[in-house]
Amino acid sequence: MEIANFVPTFIGQGIMKIVVLDGYAVTSDDLSWKELGELADVAIYDRTTPESAIERASGAEIVLTNKVFLGRKEIAQLPQLRYIGVLATGYNVVDIEAARERDIIVTNVPAYSTESVAQMVFAHLLTITNRTEYYAQQNRDGRWSKSPDFCYWDTSLTELAGKTIGIVGLGNIGLRVAHIALAFGMKVKALTSKPADTLPTNIQKADLSDLLSTSDVISLHCPLTDDTRHLINAATIQQMKPTAILINTGRGLLINETDVAEALKAGRIAAYCADVLAEEPPKPDNPLLRLPNAYITPHIAWATREARQRLLHTAIANVKAFIDYHPQNTV
């Protein structure tokens, strides 16, 4: 289907229904879907189970989803569906081929969380190098008040200047992480498909082996593909420094969680920081949740109010553009 010549087949009949299958994570209690409600009849669900997705989306021409999967089976049972808006940048929750066969437009929201995710990378990193949360809690418990000296520390404290960060994937977020690292005075290496002579000044292109073996900090920002699934595993961990800090704000399955947990226990790497896990929410027995040198946050790097406001604004603009015959951010 040629996007430039696209005309929704239901125009002239009136839009019957827009359904948001899982809107809570985007709007929570501080943002509103009001602007979407001005476009048509809208049904907004905080959460939708796989079993109830078809029933809730039935009769809708437009469906918005964040994590509710719309595969070939689901699409086949929604004959009126003409548009799927993914409330995220990644769109692996939709069977794109099945959608194309039905001439269903699929859109996403690109680059809305770049600043917030890059900020989270350094929130994790500074948690380890400066231990601010650790000392703040100690002093709530009265530790400093009992100190014989004007200061105290019982952990190592690390300066980032001069250290090397290896960035796997140099898209929008990876590039922003690189720029922040340079501002800290760090040396930056990147595993990227971009030609070396096109990289910004002071970003050195590296292969995986060189990046792993020379980096003090490794930050993952590549997409999840067959080639990158379990990119970090027992074999690649062996190439890393025992003092290395591994950070993953990309996808949980970029690492083998069992191998990383074993490496943390054995001291083969110093720390693992992650905002994503292979299964979300995780099972209670996931070993990464209990290890003292694993720092896990609950997939919140994207969730600053500013980033969610950008996501919401673009998602609604995508719907408007579709209704106006000019789809944007199509995938």
Side-chain angles (χ1 to χ4, degrees):
M1 175 176 51
E2 293 292 333
I3 297 298
N5 298 323
F6 168 77
V7 176
T9 59
F10 58 86
I11 292 298
Q13 303 169 17
I15 298 175
M16 294 172 58
K17 189 176 181 183
I18 299 175
V19 172
V20 181
L21 290 175
D22 51 348
Y24 180 79
V26 175
T27 55
S28 185
D29 59 354
D30 58 350
L31 296 175
S32 171
W33 291 101
K34 179 181 177 182
E35 190 176 355
L36 186 68
E38 295 171 354
L39 301 178
D41 292 332
V42 177
I44 298 170
Y45 299 96
D46 284 347
R47 302 169 186 86
T48 295
T49 64
E51 296 75 20
S52 60
I54 299 301
E55 179 183 357
R56 290 182 171 182
S58 179
E61 290 87 0
I62 295 174
V63 171
L64 304 186
T65 179
N66 190 331
K67 293 293 182 285
V68 178
F69 184 68
L70 294 175
R72 182 173 293 276
K73 180 181 71 174
E74 290 78 13
I75 289 171
Q77 296 180 70
L78 299 171
Q80 291 176 279
L81 185 61
R82 296 292 178 267
Y83 173 95
I84 301 171
V86 181
L87 301 171
T89 301
Y91 45 88
N92 57 314
V93 296
V94 177
D95 187 323
I96 300 299
E97 182 179 353
R100 285 175 179 162
E101 290 172 4
R102 281 266 311 278
D103 288 340
I104 295 171
I105 294 293
V106 181
T107 67
N108 71 340
V109 184
Y112 73 93
S113 64
T114 299
E115 296 295 337
S116 294
V117 176
Q119 179 176 308
M120 178 62 87
V121 170
F122 287 90
H124 271 294
L125 182 54
L126 293 170
T127 291
I128 296 172
T129 60
N130 292 70
R131 302 301 298 273
T132 49
E133 182 179 5
Y134 168 78
Y135 286 108
Q137 184 58 54
Q138 280 203 336
N139 295 328
R140 292 186 192 102
D141 297 335
R143 171 73 186 276
W144 196 7
S145 300
K146 299 172 184 176
S147 173
D149 304 302
F150 76 95
C151 66
Y152 77 92
W153 62 93
D154 54 13
T155 68
S156 62
L157 301 171
T158 303
E159 188 174 88
L160 290 178
K163 302 296 189 295
T164 298
I165 183 170
I167 300 173
V168 180
L170 207 61
N172 290 323
I173 296 173
L175 189 59
R176 187 68 182 116
V177 169
H179 287 149
I180 296 171
L182 290 170
F184 271 107
M186 301 182 77
K187 300 172 185 176
V188 177
K189 291 187 175 183
L191 178 64
T192 175
S193 60
K194 297 175 181 177
D197 60 2
T198 67
L199 299 184
T201 304
N202 296 325
I203 298 178
Q204 177 186 343
K205 181 166 180 168
D207 60 29
L208 181 62
S209 179
D210 175 47
L211 184 146
L212 294 176
S213 64
T214 60
S215 295
D216 301 294
V217 180
I218 297 163
S219 193
L220 305 180
H221 300 286
C222 55
L224 179 63
T225 66
D226 290 341
D227 291 332
T228 61
R229 183 181 296 267
H230 289 182
L231 179 71
I232 303 300
N233 53 54
T236 52
I237 289 169
Q238 288 292 341
Q239 301 178 56
M240 296 163 60
K241 296 181 179 182
T243 55
I245 298 169
L246 175 63
I247 303 174
N248 184 8
T249 56
R251 292 288 184 267
L253 286 169
L254 293 174
I255 73 151
N256 182 308
E257 292 183 346
T258 300
D259 290 354
V260 169
E262 290 301 316
L264 291 169
K265 293 175 187 176
R268 289 193 291 274
I269 57 174
Y272 178 58
C273 306
D275 189 57
V276 288
L277 291 175
E279 182 179 359
E280 297 174 349
K283 288 184 169 61
D285 61 354
N286 186 316
L288 293 173
L289 298 178
R290 298 185 302 277
L291 291 173
N293 49 350
Y295 301 81
I296 311 299
T297 47
H299 207 140
I300 56 172
W302 69 283
T304 62
R305 192 182 195 282
E306 293 83 355
R308 288 183 295 109
Q309 181 67 73
R310 285 192 292 271
L311 187 156
L312 188 62
H313 174 79
T314 302
I316 294 173
N318 286 348
V319 173
K320 288 181 177 178
F322 171 74
I323 293 171
D324 291 340
Y325 321 154
H326 301 292
Q328 64 181 21
N329 294 318
T330 57
V331 299

